[in-house]
Structures are given as C-alpha cells and as structure tokens.
Amino acid sequence: MKAVAVRAGALLGVLALVGLLPLLSGEDPALRVLRARSAEQEPTAEALAAIRADLGLGSGPWALLGDWAGGLPRGDLGTSWVSGAEVLPSVTAGLGVSLTLMGAALLVALAVGALFAAPVLLRGRATGGAPAAMLTSVPEFLLALALLIVLGVWLGWLPTSGWASPAHVMLPALALGLPAGALLGRLVADALPAVLAERWVELWRGAGTGTVRIRAAALRRTLPALAGQFGMVVVGLTGGAVAVETVFAVPGIGRTALGAARSQDLPLLQGCVLVLLGLGLLAGGSASLVRRALLGPALREAGLSLPPPRPRRIPVAVPVALAAVLSGVIGWGLLRDPYAVDLGARLAGPSAERPLGADALGRDVLARLGHGAAATVGTAGAVTLAALLVALVLGLLPGPAAAFADVANALPPVVLGLLVAAVTGPGAGAAALAVTLGAWPPLASHTAALVQEVRASGFLVAQRALGAGPWWVWTRHVLPSVAGPVTRHAVLRLPGVALALASLGFLGLGAQPPSPEWGLLLDESADYAERAPVAALAPAVALALLAALAVSLSQGFPGLRAARTRTRTARKVSSVAAPSV
C-alpha cells in the first residue's frame, strides 16, 4: 500500500510539473505568446496585459494549474499559443499516427526477435549473439539515417518522408523495430539455454514428451521473467519515435511535441507529454499484468527463480580492437582545427588533406569528430557520475526508490529533454540534466535490490546481535557491498548515456552550433547526406563503435556481466514458475 501511495505521489508530481510548465520557464509566458503570434509586434505593457487576460495568466501559478487539471476530465487540453487552435485535435491526430507507427514497429520487433531466438530454441544451446548485440546498441535515429540514405536515397526503394501511404510506414517501422527486436531476441536467447538445462526438461524427455512441446514450454517459462523488459521496449519505442518521426517527417505525437518545444508552444507540449507519459505507464502496467497472468498460482506461492543467463563470452580482442580504432580516430581529430572555415571546400569528399571530407561550411569533419568526443563522451561521464551518486542515495531507501523509478522509467530521455528544454531552453546543460533525470532509475533499482539482499544476510544479523549501531552497519557493511557492483553497472551505462546526449543534440535540444557534439554533427549533416555521405555517416559510425565497445565489454568481462545480471534482479524479473505438465 505504501509503494502504491509513493507511485501515485510521483505521478501527481510529474503531472503538476507539466501543468506548471508555462510558469517554470523563467520568462513571461505572455511575452512568449506575443513572439509566437507576431514577431514584429512591440511587447508593450498593454499588449502583454491583453494576452495575460486572454489566457488567464494573471491569476497565479496554482490557479493556472487548477484550471489545466480541471479541464483534463473534460478532454480540454487548452489552446495553442502559436495557432490559437484547440490542443486536443492536434494531439489526437498525432497520437493516431504514432500508434500506427508503433504497432508496425512492434510487429517488426516481434519478427526480428523470433529470428534471433529461433536458433537457440531449436538447438538448445547459447550462441555468440554478436549480431543481435550490435544491432541492439544502435540508437533509432542512427538507424533511421542509415536506412534513409541507403534504401531511400541510394536505392530509391521506399519513400523517405511523409505519411501518405503504407509504403511510408516501412522505413520508420524498420528504424524503430530492428533494435527493439534484436533486444527482445537477445533476452530470450540468453535465458533459454539455462531453462532447457533445468531438471523438469530431463523429466519430460524421460516421459516421452515431444521436442516441440518441450521447446514451447521452455519459451513460456522464460516469458514471465522478461515481461517487464518487453514493457521497457515499448517505452523505448515511445521515446525513439520522437527522433524517427523527425527524420522521416512523420506527423506523429513525437514530432508534434518536438515542434512545440522548439517554438515554445507550451500548452501543446503539455498535451503531448501527457500522452507520452500515459503511453509509457500503460506499457509498464500491461507488462506487469501479462507477467501475472503467465505466472498464475506461482506468483502467490513464490514460484521459482529463473536461472541466470549463460551467454558466450566475446573475446577480449574485440573490445581492444574497437577501443583502438575509436581512440585513434579521436586522437587524430584532436590534432586538427574544428572551427576553421573554408568555403571553397564545402561538402568536399575525403582527401589527404581532409580524410573524412568537409561539412557544409568547409570545416574538417575529422577535426570536429575528434573534438566532439569531449563534448559527448566527457559530458556522458559527468552525467553518469551524477546519476550514480543520486542512485546510491535514493537506493538506500529501497521501497520509495523502486516506486519513483517506476514512474521515471515511463519517461524516456527524449521526453525529459522536451520538458527540460521547455523550462530552460535548449543547450548542453539542459540535455545533461534531462539525461541525468533518466539515468538514475535503473541504478537506483539496482542499489535498492542489493541493499535488500545485504540487509537480509546472516552476517548483518550477527553484527546487530553483537551491538553494532545503524551507522556502523550502513558505512562498514551495506554501502561497501553495494557501491562496487552499482559503480560497474554505471560504467557499463556510460556509452548509452552518450548516445542519449547525442540523440538530444540531433533533435536540437542539446548542444548548439558551432559545438562539434556528435549528435549536433548528425543533425547538421542530415540535410546533405546524399551529396556528402562520408561526412554524414562519420559521427554515426563513431557512435555505433562506442555502443559496440560497451556491448563487447559487458559480454567480455565477468564483473560487468555480473552487474548486468544484478540489474535484472533489481527489476524483479526473476520470479517465474516452471511449466506444468
């Protein structure tokens, strides 16, 4: 009951934040409306007063929040500051497009996941999983750019923008569904070998049960434990749709929210964020219900625990080679000038003078790539450290930490970026804050799970019996036992944080020109990808190498792999029942 109250309080807090957006930005909302309606009109006191009276902005923040919340049950989301139209029709239209796209992407994800899991299910033993791991590590906006360039521009097989026919759904659905499907397939493939090694499988074989039925039962055995992860994949589709809809000019709810954030149309942004939050919570709640239905009586009887996954280790040479390539390119770029403009070399191809070509202003792409590593990877390190400290503090209170994490997990980094940008404006600091707000929940859940394990351990009971005080127990036993695994987990998440920062930069919510941040480089190069493909793909390849390095490290080193296993425990996806005969 207490956890439910904490979750409800966290949700109400988020809704209050959304409702107060017009007054949290630090700028007069009336001035924003005036600029949106007419950029040439002078912001006189009379004009601003008329706008405040028209929108009810002079009644104070709490009255404004009450009016906004009071309109929600009636379906009244307010009026757009830019167009003057009702917000609800725009949100409804965008939601319909996004749900169609997410449905198509989910079908792609299920098909791709089945392809990756099928070899393990048929042969009964683990595979290397390198293709699935690499595809999982590629963020949606990078894959969207690659698909647009190859299938849309070079080959001309599919349309590259718009939403006019079923053909327009294909590329966005592939961009969203391929990484999600690879993740689902990898999760199932990692869990199946351990399940097929359980005692009940041997008993079923001895009883003459057919192979097909055993494989089907093993698959069902793994699904309850992974239901929460499936829900997180759907939440990821919600966040990834913002970038993918932007790349392909799809008029969905994500692109609508991004446009509202850029134009500071806060009422429209409020409606979009509310819908995106609802989709995330619905996905998480549905996954929980599916898990309960699959478990059945085992949930009430404590069930069985899912054996830990036993994936094959990736050779140490793989991460070493990836690190060498990435550091070599970055080091080479750091020796060059990233801001020197040569208009005569605009969009020039690779040459001895510029190994990766030049951008639209004639700047050296290699130089900007090298110097952008500090803005991208360096900021990611600071964000990871901040998220780790927050997680260690909140994780020491397992119940509230888990409850807050459930609500925070429903908000992908892109959605948080939209909220923060609406309050502070776009920038590197805003992007770092948004990613930090989204990075602590998994680490806090991990910390909370470890704290619960340590507090229940026998040696800690003995310490209390010997008269050890709470401070001694926490500082000498609990915190040292928790800090190491959670820190390794945080290090493993650092490349993912860098990708999230790059995604916000790509959407214009992060670093601003002329910064060489990698996401911003992608945004700048997307418009001329056909004329200068090397310059456009260089930051994409660098981000993919960084992600692949993280994946190979997590598979190749036992400490990081143990941290990832602890994360699954923290998400409470380990209680499942063996199938009944």
Side-chain angles (χ1 to χ4, degrees), residues 133-134 137 314 316-327 330 377 491-492 494-495 541-557 560:
M134 298 306 177
S137 66
I314 295 177
V316 177
V318 174
V320 170
L322 290 172
V325 172
L326 194 58
S327 59
I330 292 173
V377 184
V491 172
L492 177 60
L494 190 147
V541 172
L543 284 167
L545 287 175
L546 182 65
L549 176 61
V551 172
S552 60
L553 284 173
S554 68
Q555 290 287 87
F557 293 94
L560 292 178

Side-chain angles (χ1 to χ4, degrees), residues 121 199 228 458 475 522:
L121 187 63
R199 177 67 174 168
T475 57
L522 281 168

Side-chain angles (χ1 to χ4, degrees), residues 264-481:
Q264 297 297 314
D265 190 354
L266 296 187
L268 181 57
L269 178 62
Q270 287 174 330
C272 293
V273 168
L274 192 63
V275 170
L276 290 171
L277 175 62
L279 286 176
L281 292 174
L282 180 62
S286 299
S288 178
L289 292 176
V290 169
R291 177 174 175 267
R292 288 176 175 270
L294 289 172
L295 280 174
L299 185 64
R300 296 187 298 271
E301 298 166 6
L304 301 174
S305 59
L306 184 67
R310 298 183 297 181
R312 291 183 181 177
R313 291 183 58 182
I314 295 177
V316 177
V318 174
V320 170
L322 290 172
V325 172
L326 194 58
S327 59
V329 172
I330 292 173
W332 193 5
L334 287 173
L335 301 176
R336 310 167 75 91
D337 186 355
Y339 298 108
V341 175
D342 183 0
L343 296 180
R346 294 178 64 250
L347 303 180
S351 62
E353 183 180 359
R354 298 180 181 85
L356 295 179
D359 65 8
L361 295 178
R363 295 173 296 191
D364 189 342
V365 172
L366 177 60
R368 293 182 64 75
L369 191 68
H371 286 265
T376 305
V377 184
T379 304
V383 168
T384 302
L385 178 59
L388 173 63
L389 295 176
V390 172
L392 288 175
V393 172
L394 294 180
L396 296 178
L397 302 172
F404 280 114
D406 286 346
V407 176
N409 275 330
L411 291 171
V414 171
V415 178
L416 291 169
L418 292 172
L419 286 172
V420 174
V423 175
T424 66
L433 176 60
V435 176
T436 303
L437 292 175
W440 70 264
L443 299 176
S445 296
H446 186 185
T447 304
L450 293 178
V451 168
Q452 289 176 328
E453 291 180 11
V454 174
R455 288 170 64 180
S457 60
F459 81 90
L460 207 59
V461 175
Q463 288 287 328
R464 294 194 186 98
L466 292 174
W471 179 254
W472 175 276
V473 169
W474 280 106
T475 57
R476 296 300 182 94
H477 295 288
V478 177
L479 190 59
S481 299

Side-chain angles (χ1 to χ4, degrees), residues 33-129:
V33 175
L34 182 65
R35 288 174 177 173
R37 292 178 177 177
S38 176
E40 293 80 13
Q41 184 176 352
E42 289 292 330
T44 62
E46 293 78 8
L48 295 177
I51 292 176
R52 292 191 192 98
D54 182 37
L55 299 180
L57 297 176
S59 55
W62 296 111
L64 184 67
L65 176 61
D67 292 340
W68 181 76
L72 293 180
R74 305 191 306 269
D76 183 8
L77 298 180
T79 304
S80 169
W81 286 359
V82 175
S83 65
E86 293 292 325
V87 168
L88 183 60
S90 299
V91 171
T92 304
L95 178 61
V97 173
S98 292
L99 288 177
T100 302
L101 174 58
M102 291 171 63
L106 194 56
L107 291 177
V108 172
L110 293 175
V112 173
L115 288 176
F116 281 115
V120 181
L121 187 63
L122 295 176
R123 291 182 294 191
R125 63 178 184 273
T127 61

